[in-house]
């Protein structure tokens, strides 16, 4: 039976995170590189596309023994059935993604305001030195502050009554979340930006009917990793 499993958790920002907004015009004196913010509330958010792309790249690398697979269609079947793939020249049809990643808006902005962080961000001063001329090029990068929290929501579409495949898919999701916690999200990760932890992970069936024992196994996989 067609079912949907909702996977939730909390993304905790451990070091300043920068997921950039569009490169629009900015006036003199403005921040050189602002973070992405919700258009209505002006609260920082993590785009679902950023989460999906990062997690996909991490598990794809893990399943290819550390090698970088250049094309989505050449990735392991565990990856393409979860994250999708396009049609190719060999006549293979597109594979829709079984995972739906939601944009996640910072949930503890009021708590941060009480601690003196008005909009949940900080300005980090960066400086690039030209290797030959030694000329400095200063810039300002906006970052989401350490301590910010984002409510993770992923929907998994269980399209077949196949316990083995379902659990294998959830195990891949669990691996992706674990790898993310040992990597980073956003830009400048090699300089310490974007470290996260993920806790309070839980899976529940929100559409259809999935055996409780199977759902319990899903939660064991997610929480074990």
């Amino acid at each position: 039976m067609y079912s949907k499993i909702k996977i939730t958790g909390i993304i905790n920002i451990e070091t300043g995170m920068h997921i950039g907004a569009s490169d629009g015009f900015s006036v003199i004196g403005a921040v050189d590189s602002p973070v992405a913010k919700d258009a209505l509330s002006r609260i920082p958010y993590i785009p679902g596309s950023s989460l999906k792309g990062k997690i996909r790249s991490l598990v794809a690398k893990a399943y290819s023994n550390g090698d970088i697979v250049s094309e989505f269609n050449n990735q392991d079947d565990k990856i393409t059935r979860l994250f999708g793939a396009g049609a190719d020249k060999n006549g293979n049809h597109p594979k829709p993604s079984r995972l739906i990643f939601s944009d996640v808006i910072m949930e503890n902005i009021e708590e941060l305001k009480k601690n003196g962080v008005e909009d949940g961000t900080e300005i980090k001063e960066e400086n690039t030195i030209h290797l030959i001329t030694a000329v400095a090029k200063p810039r300002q990068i906006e970052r989401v502050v350490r301590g910010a929290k984002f409510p993770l929501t992923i929907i998994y579409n269980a399209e077949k009554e196949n316990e083995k495949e379902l659990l294998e898919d959830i195990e891949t999701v669990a691996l992706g979340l674990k790898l993310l916690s040992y990597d980073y999200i956003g830009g400048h990760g090699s300089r310490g930006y974007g470290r996260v932890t993920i806790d309070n992970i839980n899976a529940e069936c929100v559409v259809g009917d999935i055996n409780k024992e199977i759902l319990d196994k899903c939660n064991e996989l997610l929480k074990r990793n």
Side-chain angles (χ1 to χ4, degrees), residues 24-32 140:
F25 171 78
S26 61
V27 298
I28 294 174
V31 174
D32 299 307
Q140 294 182 323

Side-chain angles (χ1 to χ4, degrees), residues 17 23 51 80 87 108 110 168 198 202:
M17 178 188 70
D23 295 329
L51 278 172
T80 57
N108 64 330
E110 295 303 323
E168 192 173 71
I198 304 172
N202 183 66

Side-chain angles (χ1 to χ4, degrees), residues 27-81:
V27 298
I28 294 174
V31 174
D32 299 307
S33 188
V35 299
K37 294 177 182 176
D38 175 64
L40 293 178
S41 65
R42 305 307 300 161
I43 296 174
Y45 79 104
I46 301 175
S49 57
S50 295
L51 278 172
K52 181 181 180 182
K54 183 65 179 185
I55 291 174
R56 178 174 189 154
S57 69
L58 290 170
V59 292
K61 191 172 182 179
Y63 285 148
S64 60
N65 296 318
D67 295 330
I68 297 176
V69 181
S70 58
E71 296 184 9
F72 284 169
N73 291 1
N74 293 334
Q75 292 175 346
D76 189 288
D77 182 60
K78 294 177 184 177
I79 308 299
T80 57
R81 76 175 182 230

Side-chain angles (χ1 to χ4, degrees), residues 72-145:
F72 284 169
N73 291 1
N74 293 334
Q75 292 175 346
D76 189 288
D77 182 60
K78 294 177 184 177
I79 308 299
T80 57
R81 76 175 182 230
L82 260 186
F83 295 91
D88 60 29
K89 58 185 178 182
N90 297 320
N92 294 318
H93 295 294
K95 290 183 179 180
S97 173
R98 292 185 180 180
L99 295 177
I100 301 171
F101 287 79
S102 298
D103 292 346
V104 288
I105 299 176
M106 185 191 298
E107 69 172 10
N108 64 330
I109 185 68
E110 295 303 323
E111 175 189 340
L112 294 175
K113 285 181 178 179
K114 291 178 181 178
N115 291 324
V117 184
E118 186 58 32
D119 58 359
T121 65
E122 62 184 356
I123 305 301
K124 177 83 161 44
E125 300 285 347
E126 296 276 1
N127 205 355
T128 302
I129 307 295
H130 195 284
L131 293 177
I132 297 175
T133 65
V135 173
K137 186 179 179 181
R139 56 181 176 165
Q140 294 182 323
I141 297 178
E142 188 176 31
R143 309 193 308 178
V144 173
V145 296

Side-chain angles (χ1 to χ4, degrees), residues 167-178:
L167 293 176
E168 192 173 71
D169 285 347
I170 296 300
E171 188 171 23
T172 299
V173 173
L175 174 62
L177 295 175
K178 178 181 180 180

